[in-house]
Amino acid sequence: MDKKIWLSSPHMGVKEKEFVNEAFETNWIAPLGPNVNGFESDIQNYLDSDIYVAALSSGTAAIHLGLKLLGVESGDEVLCQSMTFSATANPILYLNAIPVFIDSEKETWNMCPILLEEAIKNRILNGKKPKAIIAVHLYGMPYKADEINAVARKYAIPVLEDAAEALGSIYKGVKCGTLANISILSFNGNKIITTSGGGALVSHRKFDKEKAIFLSTQSRDNAPHYQHSEVGYNYRMSNVVAGIGRGQMLVLDERVTARRNNYERYFEELSSIELFTFLDEPNEFYSNRWLSCLLTSSYNIREKIRLNLEKENIETRPLWKPMHLQPVFSKYLSFVNGVSENLFNRGLCLPSGSNLTEDELSKVIYYIKNCVENA
Ligand SMILES: *Cc1c(COP(=O)(O)O)cnc(C)c1O
């Protein structure tokens, strides 16, 4: 059997080991150290010099702390994009808050601003004004930030931007990860760059960074002994892991180019087939194309392709199953228009790693074509 072709596997550059070795040689193994600060300023320089970055142990941890910083407390309602990975929504429950799920629009597959406003009006009428909005740039495609922000501003509800999949994406000239009150990034193993596991909280306010670091290092008060007035978390990124991140930041632009090239290749080879559609970039939207997604004409065709590729040792995955259809979340209120369920039934994420070889891409395309020619 040929070597497995993965959906999205880690892709190291050349400098990561040097930064990690430096951590060993200087014995900066224990949590903090120069790589953490270095990684934070690398991200800051990349995104926007006017922002503040706190490196954390995961994107999920960043969402958890981000919601806390936005003042979400037990019993509060949080409006959350339904079409996403569960890590977007789980931290709402960590805080004993209540998720309310919002369906997607068709142009970006992200939170529908019209449904968002409908939901806000409904919740206000019921005496439950939402405390925060979580919007997600799915697969790297920016959400409609102007429209979402306009609704959020109209009702004075803060937005948490889940940019876990969108480092390197750009919306109307502004980098994803800087489009909201608080944003989060992920450096999990399958993301566009990785530290093996890690995340970051991004804010336009220095206070948020300082508070996130305080909370993520067990909320220690300023005293010679260990003194705590608040519940703390162990969410800070380690200095060893941050070394990997520093190396990865050096190749981020190359990684974006490689993933965009994968998408272009799939588009060129497959878009003329009537059964398929692709997610185009709207004007002034720039996606890092973290994952290339193929939308087929039916569940059956999607499954046929998925199973045939699996036989060839090629990993693919249906699009994210919406949260309002997940057993763990289905009891919560949702505002639904059918878009995300339809995408889930017909869509497939194709191998998208920045380390895919030309031969591997050709093989994936060959077997997809093969499936539909014999349909
Ligand atoms: C990966 C991901 C997260 C979580 O990040 P981790 O670093 O894995 O905790 C959150 N939201 C989305 C949309 C993701 O894809």
Side-chain angles (χ1 to χ4, degrees):
M1 176 81 78
D2 284 355
K3 192 168 127 250
K4 179 153 183 162
I5 300 178
W6 298 96
L7 191 69
S8 179
S9 68
H11 183 188
M12 290 297 113
V14 290
K15 285 278 192 187
E16 288 81 351
K17 276 189 182 163
E18 276 177 38
F19 287 111
V20 172
N21 279 339
E22 203 176 291
F24 275 73
E25 275 153 23
T26 52
N27 206 30
W28 279 111
I29 302 297
L32 293 180
N35 280 338
V36 174
N37 296 331
F39 186 39
E40 287 175 345
S41 49
D42 293 345
I43 299 169
Q44 182 188 334
N45 290 336
Y46 181 81
L47 287 179
D48 173 356
S49 52
D50 258 359
I51 51 118
Y52 298 90
V53 179
L56 301 171
S57 55
S58 71
T60 312
I63 295 171
H64 188 183
L65 296 186
L67 290 174
K68 268 187 84 75
L69 288 173
L70 294 178
V72 174
E73 290 177 2
S74 179
D76 287 341
E77 291 192 0
V78 175
L79 302 173
C80 181
Q81 182 164 323
S82 186
M83 178 117 186
T84 186
F85 177 44
S86 66
T88 306
N90 279 327
I92 301 170
L93 297 189
Y94 302 169
L95 291 162
N96 290 313
I98 303 160
V100 174
F101 294 108
I102 312 289
D103 214 324
S104 293
E105 35 79 9
K106 287 181 188 159
E107 280 166 289
T108 72
W109 300 357
N110 295 312
M111 184 182 271
C112 171
I114 297 164
L115 270 187
L116 172 66
E117 180 157 23
E118 217 172 277
I120 293 172
K121 284 182 176 162
N122 172 290
R123 300 323 294 146
I124 291 175
L125 272 178
N126 283 276
K128 295 287 289 176
K129 183 177 168 183
K131 210 56 190 277
I133 296 163
I134 311 180
V136 187
H137 307 294
L138 224 52
Y139 305 118
M141 180 63 76
Y143 60 76
K144 293 186 174 177
D146 281 350
E147 288 86 340
I148 297 286
N149 287 341
V151 174
R153 253 196 313 273
K154 182 169 169 190
Y155 298 92
I157 302 171
V159 178
L160 190 150
E161 176 192 13
D162 181 343
E165 303 177 0
L167 182 59
S169 298
I170 304 169
Y171 173 82
K172 299 189 178 175
V174 181
K175 296 252 171 69
C176 290
T178 66
L179 290 163
N181 302 69
I182 290 195
S183 310
I184 72 96
L185 302 170
S186 167
F187 310 107
N188 194 16
N190 59 1
K191 298 285 155 60
I192 190 138
I193 59 165
T194 180
T195 58
S196 78
L201 184 143
V202 181
S203 170
H204 295 267
R205 300 194 311 169
K206 192 171 181 207
F207 169 83
D208 289 330
K209 169 179 176 160
E210 286 166 355
K211 183 79 190 201
I213 291 174
F214 170 79
L215 291 169
S216 70
T217 50
Q218 308 288 17
S219 299
R220 276 188 68 193
D221 295 343
N222 193 9
H225 56 279
Y226 274 58
Q227 169 93 7
H228 308 276
S229 321
E230 250 187 272
V231 175
Y233 302 85
N234 183 6
Y235 277 173
R236 192 74 162 124
M237 180 176 277
S238 99
N239 194 55
V240 174
V241 152
I244 305 175
R246 297 205 72 183
Q248 288 272 278
M249 282 307 288
L250 296 171
V251 293
L252 174 56
D253 286 337
E254 286 168 44
R255 299 298 182 256
V256 173
T257 303
R259 294 212 182 223
R260 285 178 62 86
N261 288 342
N262 291 338
Y263 176 87
E264 279 308 315
R265 187 73 202 289
Y266 286 129
F267 183 86
E268 273 164 26
E269 298 272 0
L270 300 171
S271 62
S272 62
I273 298 172
E274 223 173 296
L275 306 169
F276 298 154
T277 41
F278 285 82
L279 182 63
D280 290 328
E281 285 167 303
N283 199 15
E284 289 198 88
F285 285 58
Y286 181 89
S287 170
N288 67 10
R289 297 290 184 190
W290 171 57
L291 295 185
S292 289
C293 304
L294 179 68
L295 199 56
T296 69
S297 56
S298 73
Y299 173 83
N300 287 339
I301 291 184
R302 199 280 307 281
E303 280 303 281
K304 181 173 180 213
I305 295 169
R306 188 180 68 78
L307 294 169
N308 270 297
L309 292 178
E310 191 172 85
K311 264 193 239 142
E312 301 301 329
N313 214 16
I314 298 168
E315 185 187 26
T316 63
R317 193 178 301 144
L319 301 192
W320 297 123
K321 179 171 182 174
M323 292 305 112
H324 71 272
L325 300 175
Q326 296 284 0
V328 63
F329 293 121
S330 58
K331 67 176 176 195
Y332 297 103
L333 188 62
S334 56
F335 290 80
V336 174
N337 56 16
V339 171
S340 64
E341 184 167 1
N342 189 274
L343 290 168
F344 168 60
N345 286 330
R346 299 195 285 126
L348 192 66
C349 300
L350 303 177
S352 302
S354 47
N355 50 5
L356 282 179
T357 65
E358 175 48 40
D359 281 356
E360 287 173 326
L361 269 172
S362 300
K363 184 175 162 185
V364 176
I365 290 163
Y366 172 84
Y367 282 106
I368 293 173
K369 283 185 174 168
N370 197 265
C371 278
V372 291
E373 271 156 19
N374 303 328

mmCIF file of all heavy atoms in Angstrom, residues 334-356:
data_model
loop_
_atom_site.group_PDB
_atom_site.id
_atom_site.type_symbol
_atom_site.label_atom_id
_atom_site.label_comp_id
_atom_site.label_asym_id
_atom_site.label_seq_id
_atom_site.Cartn_x
_atom_site.Cartn_y
_atom_site.Cartn_z
ATOM 1 N N SER A 334 -31.289 27.186 18.803
ATOM 2 C CA SER A 334 -30.515 27.503 17.596
ATOM 3 C C SER A 334 -31.385 28.268 16.608
ATOM 4 O O SER A 334 -32.614 28.121 16.610
ATOM 5 C CB SER A 334 -29.966 26.225 16.955
ATOM 6 O OG SER A 334 -31.004 25.316 16.681
ATOM 7 N N PHE A 335 -30.734 29.082 15.806
ATOM 8 C CA PHE A 335 -31.411 29.845 14.742
ATOM 9 C C PHE A 335 -30.863 29.321 13.422
ATOM 10 O O PHE A 335 -29.694 29.530 13.098
ATOM 11 C CB PHE A 335 -31.171 31.347 14.930
ATOM 12 C CG PHE A 335 -31.902 31.885 16.122
ATOM 13 C CD1 PHE A 335 -31.391 31.712 17.414
ATOM 14 C CD2 PHE A 335 -33.128 32.523 15.977
ATOM 15 C CE1 PHE A 335 -32.087 32.183 18.520
ATOM 16 C CE2 PHE A 335 -33.829 32.993 17.080
ATOM 17 C CZ PHE A 335 -33.306 32.825 18.363
ATOM 18 N N VAL A 336 -31.723 28.602 12.692
ATOM 19 C CA VAL A 336 -31.255 27.732 11.626
ATOM 20 C C VAL A 336 -31.934 28.066 10.304
ATOM 21 O O VAL A 336 -33.124 28.392 10.283
ATOM 22 C CB VAL A 336 -31.545 26.259 12.025
ATOM 23 C CG1 VAL A 336 -31.217 25.315 10.904
ATOM 24 C CG2 VAL A 336 -30.760 25.878 13.280
ATOM 25 N N ASN A 337 -31.160 28.010 9.212
ATOM 26 C CA ASN A 337 -31.721 28.234 7.877
ATOM 27 C C ASN A 337 -31.436 27.073 6.923
ATOM 28 O O ASN A 337 -31.707 27.163 5.733
ATOM 29 C CB ASN A 337 -31.166 29.536 7.281
ATOM 30 C CG ASN A 337 -29.634 29.512 7.250
ATOM 31 O OD1 ASN A 337 -29.035 28.449 7.377
ATOM 32 N ND2 ASN A 337 -29.024 30.657 7.080
ATOM 33 N N GLY A 338 -30.820 26.009 7.435
ATOM 34 C CA GLY A 338 -30.555 24.819 6.627
ATOM 35 C C GLY A 338 -29.223 24.823 5.904
ATOM 36 O O GLY A 338 -28.806 23.794 5.363
ATOM 37 N N VAL A 339 -28.525 25.964 5.888
ATOM 38 C CA VAL A 339 -27.278 26.049 5.104
ATOM 39 C C VAL A 339 -26.207 25.096 5.638
ATOM 40 O O VAL A 339 -25.613 24.309 4.902
ATOM 41 C CB VAL A 339 -26.748 27.507 5.044
ATOM 42 C CG1 VAL A 339 -25.352 27.564 4.437
ATOM 43 C CG2 VAL A 339 -27.709 28.372 4.229
ATOM 44 N N SER A 340 -25.949 25.145 6.934
ATOM 45 C CA SER A 340 -24.840 24.335 7.465
ATOM 46 C C SER A 340 -25.142 22.842 7.375
ATOM 47 O O SER A 340 -24.248 22.035 7.100
ATOM 48 C CB SER A 340 -24.497 24.739 8.898
ATOM 49 O OG SER A 340 -25.570 24.471 9.777
ATOM 50 N N GLU A 341 -26.391 22.462 7.587
ATOM 51 C CA GLU A 341 -26.737 21.041 7.502
ATOM 52 C C GLU A 341 -26.526 20.530 6.075
ATOM 53 O O GLU A 341 -26.005 19.437 5.847
ATOM 54 C CB GLU A 341 -28.188 20.825 7.942
ATOM 55 C CG GLU A 341 -28.560 19.354 7.959
ATOM 56 C CD GLU A 341 -29.876 19.059 8.678
ATOM 57 O OE1 GLU A 341 -30.539 20.004 9.158
ATOM 58 O OE2 GLU A 341 -30.233 17.865 8.746
ATOM 59 N N ASN A 342 -26.915 21.365 5.120
ATOM 60 C CA ASN A 342 -26.744 21.015 3.716
ATOM 61 C C ASN A 342 -25.250 20.884 3.354
ATOM 62 O O ASN A 342 -24.841 19.943 2.672
ATOM 63 C CB ASN A 342 -27.420 22.104 2.885
ATOM 64 C CG ASN A 342 -27.495 21.728 1.436
ATOM 65 O OD1 ASN A 342 -26.556 21.961 0.688
ATOM 66 N ND2 ASN A 342 -28.591 21.094 1.038
ATOM 67 N N LEU A 343 -24.446 21.815 3.840
ATOM 68 C CA LEU A 343 -23.003 21.750 3.576
ATOM 69 C C LEU A 343 -22.411 20.484 4.198
ATOM 70 O O LEU A 343 -21.596 19.791 3.582
ATOM 71 C CB LEU A 343 -22.295 22.978 4.163
ATOM 72 C CG LEU A 343 -22.574 24.313 3.474
ATOM 73 C CD1 LEU A 343 -22.046 25.471 4.318
ATOM 74 C CD2 LEU A 343 -21.931 24.335 2.089
ATOM 75 N N PHE A 344 -22.836 20.197 5.415
ATOM 76 C CA PHE A 344 -22.327 19.006 6.113
ATOM 77 C C PHE A 344 -22.650 17.732 5.321
ATOM 78 O O PHE A 344 -21.828 16.822 5.221
ATOM 79 C CB PHE A 344 -22.932 18.941 7.520
ATOM 80 C CG PHE A 344 -22.704 17.629 8.212
ATOM 81 C CD1 PHE A 344 -21.417 17.167 8.465
ATOM 82 C CD2 PHE A 344 -23.784 16.848 8.596
ATOM 83 C CE1 PHE A 344 -21.207 15.947 9.101
ATOM 84 C CE2 PHE A 344 -23.590 15.628 9.231
ATOM 85 C CZ PHE A 344 -22.301 15.172 9.480
ATOM 86 N N ASN A 345 -23.836 17.681 4.743
ATOM 87 C CA ASN A 345 -24.241 16.479 4.010
ATOM 88 C C ASN A 345 -23.507 16.295 2.688
ATOM 89 O O ASN A 345 -23.330 15.169 2.230
ATOM 90 C CB ASN A 345 -25.745 16.513 3.736
ATOM 91 C CG ASN A 345 -26.545 16.230 4.990
ATOM 92 O OD1 ASN A 345 -26.082 15.498 5.868
ATOM 93 N ND2 ASN A 345 -27.727 16.821 5.095
ATOM 94 N N ARG A 346 -23.097 17.398 2.069
ATOM 95 C CA ARG A 346 -22.572 17.297 0.705
ATOM 96 C C ARG A 346 -21.086 17.622 0.557
ATOM 97 O O ARG A 346 -20.511 17.425 -0.503
ATOM 98 C CB ARG A 346 -23.358 18.241 -0.217
ATOM 99 C CG ARG A 346 -24.848 17.924 -0.288
ATOM 100 C CD ARG A 346 -25.498 18.625 -1.452
ATOM 101 N NE ARG A 346 -25.685 20.043 -1.238
ATOM 102 C CZ ARG A 346 -25.242 20.987 -2.073
ATOM 103 N NH1 ARG A 346 -24.572 20.667 -3.162
ATOM 104 N NH2 ARG A 346 -25.467 22.259 -1.812
ATOM 105 N N GLY A 347 -20.488 18.136 1.632
ATOM 106 C CA GLY A 347 -19.127 18.664 1.488
ATOM 107 C C GLY A 347 -18.053 17.722 1.983
ATOM 108 O O GLY A 347 -18.266 16.931 2.907
ATOM 109 N N LEU A 348 -16.877 17.843 1.377
ATOM 110 C CA LEU A 348 -15.752 16.992 1.746
ATOM 111 C C LEU A 348 -14.474 17.825 1.781
ATOM 112 O O LEU A 348 -14.168 18.562 0.838
ATOM 113 C CB LEU A 348 -15.605 15.875 0.701
ATOM 114 C CG LEU A 348 -14.665 14.721 1.050
ATOM 115 C CD1 LEU A 348 -15.197 13.916 2.238
ATOM 116 C CD2 LEU A 348 -14.478 13.803 -0.153
ATOM 117 N N CYS A 349 -13.713 17.691 2.893
ATOM 118 C CA CYS A 349 -12.398 18.333 2.979
ATOM 119 C C CYS A 349 -11.376 17.410 2.329
ATOM 120 O O CYS A 349 -11.289 16.231 2.678
ATOM 121 C CB CYS A 349 -12.003 18.569 4.425
ATOM 122 S SG CYS A 349 -13.139 19.613 5.334
ATOM 123 N N LEU A 350 -10.619 17.963 1.407
ATOM 124 C CA LEU A 350 -9.627 17.177 0.660
ATOM 125 C C LEU A 350 -8.238 17.335 1.294
ATOM 126 O O LEU A 350 -7.992 18.311 2.009
ATOM 127 C CB LEU A 350 -9.579 17.668 -0.790
ATOM 128 C CG LEU A 350 -10.909 17.617 -1.539
ATOM 129 C CD1 LEU A 350 -10.739 18.203 -2.947
ATOM 130 C CD2 LEU A 350 -11.450 16.179 -1.611
ATOM 131 N N PRO A 351 -7.325 16.409 1.007
ATOM 132 C CA PRO A 351 -5.958 16.573 1.518
ATOM 133 C C PRO A 351 -5.433 17.959 1.162
ATOM 134 O O PRO A 351 -5.521 18.379 -0.002
ATOM 135 C CB PRO A 351 -5.181 15.468 0.794
ATOM 136 C CG PRO A 351 -6.204 14.389 0.578
ATOM 137 C CD PRO A 351 -7.472 15.149 0.244
ATOM 138 N N SER A 352 -4.904 18.675 2.155
ATOM 139 C CA SER A 352 -4.610 20.100 1.981
ATOM 140 C C SER A 352 -3.280 20.525 2.571
ATOM 141 O O SER A 352 -3.004 21.715 2.678
ATOM 142 C CB SER A 352 -5.720 20.926 2.654
ATOM 143 O OG SER A 352 -6.977 20.616 2.104
ATOM 144 N N GLY A 353 -2.466 19.577 3.001
ATOM 145 C CA GLY A 353 -1.216 19.933 3.676
ATOM 146 C C GLY A 353 -0.302 20.748 2.772
ATOM 147 O O GLY A 353 -0.296 20.583 1.550
ATOM 148 N N SER A 354 0.486 21.643 3.401
ATOM 149 C CA SER A 354 1.452 22.425 2.629
ATOM 150 C C SER A 354 2.614 21.534 2.197
ATOM 151 O O SER A 354 3.441 21.945 1.386
ATOM 152 C CB SER A 354 1.952 23.603 3.465
ATOM 153 O OG SER A 354 2.304 23.183 4.764
ATOM 154 N N ASN A 355 2.675 20.315 2.736
ATOM 155 C CA ASN A 355 3.752 19.380 2.374
ATOM 156 C C ASN A 355 3.312 18.307 1.382
ATOM 157 O O ASN A 355 4.026 17.335 1.159
ATOM 158 C CB ASN A 355 4.309 18.720 3.648
ATOM 159 C CG ASN A 355 3.201 18.162 4.534
ATOM 160 O OD1 ASN A 355 2.027 18.175 4.158
ATOM 161 N ND2 ASN A 355 3.556 17.663 5.702
ATOM 162 N N LEU A 356 2.134 18.475 0.776
ATOM 163 C CA LEU A 356 1.696 17.506 -0.246
ATOM 164 C C LEU A 356 2.631 17.593 -1.456
ATOM 165 O O LEU A 356 2.989 18.692 -1.888
ATOM 166 C CB LEU A 356 0.282 17.832 -0.726
ATOM 167 C CG LEU A 356 -0.893 17.439 0.160
ATOM 168 C CD1 LEU A 356 -2.192 17.879 -0.510
ATOM 169 C CD2 LEU A 356 -0.912 15.943 0.419
#
